[in-house]
Amino acid sequence: MFFTSLTEWSPGNVMIRILASLVLGALIGIDRGAKRRGGGARTDAAVCLGATMVMLTAQYMYLMFPEKTNIARMPAQVVSGVGFLGAGSILVSRNQVKGLTSAAGVWLCACVGLAVGIGFVDGAVMITLVLLAGLHILPFFEHRIYQYSRYVTLFVEAEDGRTAAFLIHKLKKDGCTIDMYNVERMGTGGQSFTIWATVCIDKNLKKEEYLESLSHLPGIVSVDEL
């Protein structure tokens, strides 16, 4: 590999590993922070540096006490234990889950740090570059593919509970499959309702025209596709 010599234990190699960990973790964090997502440069850099420190400590202990140390034990605890940071970046709001990509990025930062810590810097660099490329390229393909999907997530404002029930009944009557829905009462008067629904539009219906027709139903204030 490109950086085979970095696996050797020396002050210079240790410093290179630490700096590489800082840079790679910060790159991943900057990408998430630029999109105003969870994590950020400081968080991901700290996670990556911490994982690198654990790996360096494990290698040091193995070199100093070869017969008493299992070099894989400490890294295994990092991979399983970093999940608490990822959980802190996951938000559930109005039946939508956000932050999963940021949580996965934090976990990957820990893995990158472990790789750098043991001297596998070239692998860490390549996985970081692939991750950053994927985070920017995959949304383009997702958008192109999802636009042909029959599934839509609807946010509907209704005047009362009976309108909400009528809407659900109409969707089923028109052959649409309701994968998930939730009805909430809004306002102190209890006269306004919101409906969150994931619906599969029947293939015989034109999605855009059908959604437009739903907004004109009696008692429906607005219909938005999320």
Side-chain angles (χ1 to χ4, degrees), residues 3 6 12-30 40-56 78 105-106 108-122 124-125 128:
F3 302 109
L6 293 183
N13 283 349
V14 170
M15 182 55 65
I16 291 175
R17 295 185 205 179
I18 292 173
L19 293 177
S21 177
L22 174 65
V23 172
L24 296 178
L27 282 176
I28 296 174
I30 288 172
R42 290 175 295 178
T43 299
D44 285 356
V47 170
C48 201
L49 283 170
T52 296
M53 190 66 238
V54 169
M55 197 74 251
L56 287 171
V78 172
V106 170
L108 187 136
C109 273
C111 297
V112 168
L114 293 175
V116 173
I118 200 63
F120 188 34
V121 179
D122 46 356
V125 170
T128 300

Side-chain angles (χ1 to χ4, degrees), residues 5-225:
S5 61
L6 293 183
T7 59
E8 300 175 359
W9 186 266
S10 68
N13 283 349
V14 170
M15 182 55 65
I16 291 175
R17 295 185 205 179
I18 292 173
L19 293 177
S21 177
L22 174 65
V23 172
L24 296 178
L27 282 176
I28 296 174
I30 288 172
D31 179 78
R32 303 308 299 161
K35 299 176 182 178
R36 300 300 187 268
R37 304 297 173 83
R42 290 175 295 178
T43 299
D44 285 356
V47 170
C48 201
L49 283 170
T52 296
M53 190 66 238
V54 169
M55 197 74 251
L56 287 171
T57 302
Q59 185 179 9
Y60 175 81
M61 292 172 63
Y62 178 77
L63 293 174
M64 296 297 102
F65 314 100
E67 297 180 357
K68 300 180 180 180
T69 305
N70 181 356
I71 196 173
R73 181 174 297 175
M74 292 178 65
Q77 299 303 313
V78 172
V79 172
S80 61
V82 75
F84 80 95
L85 280 175
S89 63
I90 298 175
L91 301 175
V92 181
S93 176
R94 293 186 178 272
N95 302 306
Q96 288 187 308
V97 180
K98 299 180 180 180
L100 289 175
T101 303
S102 297
V106 170
W107 180 81
L108 187 136
C109 273
C111 297
V112 168
L114 293 175
V116 173
I118 200 63
F120 188 34
V121 179
D122 46 356
V125 170
M126 287 186 287
I127 201 67
T128 300
L129 294 178
V130 169
L131 171 67
L132 294 176
L135 289 175
H136 290 271
I137 295 174
L138 289 178
F140 170 78
F141 289 102
E142 283 183 326
H143 176 73
R144 296 298 297 270
I145 294 173
Y146 292 168
Q147 67 180 351
Y148 298 105
S149 174
R150 306 300 299 178
Y151 281 88
V152 294
T153 299
L154 302 178
F155 173 68
V156 182
E157 292 187 44
E159 293 180 353
D160 52 42
R162 289 178 299 178
T163 302
F166 172 74
L167 175 64
I168 298 300
H169 176 74
K170 176 173 175 55
L171 289 171
K172 293 182 178 179
K173 182 180 178 181
D174 293 340
C176 301
T177 302
I178 302 175
D179 187 63
M180 179 278 298
Y181 75 93
N182 183 50
V183 180
E184 296 180 0
R185 178 177 296 179
M186 303 295 290
T188 57
Q191 298 301 315
S192 178
F193 285 75
T194 59
I195 306 168
W196 296 81
T198 301
V199 180
C200 179
I201 306 298
D202 187 85
K203 62 181 180 181
N204 296 319
L205 300 173
K206 293 185 178 180
K207 186 170 64 174
E208 291 76 12
E209 294 181 2
Y210 184 70
L211 296 180
E212 178 65 23
S213 68
L214 292 179
S215 63
H216 298 299
L217 293 175
I220 298 295
V221 178
S222 65
V223 177
D224 295 312
E225 180 183 355

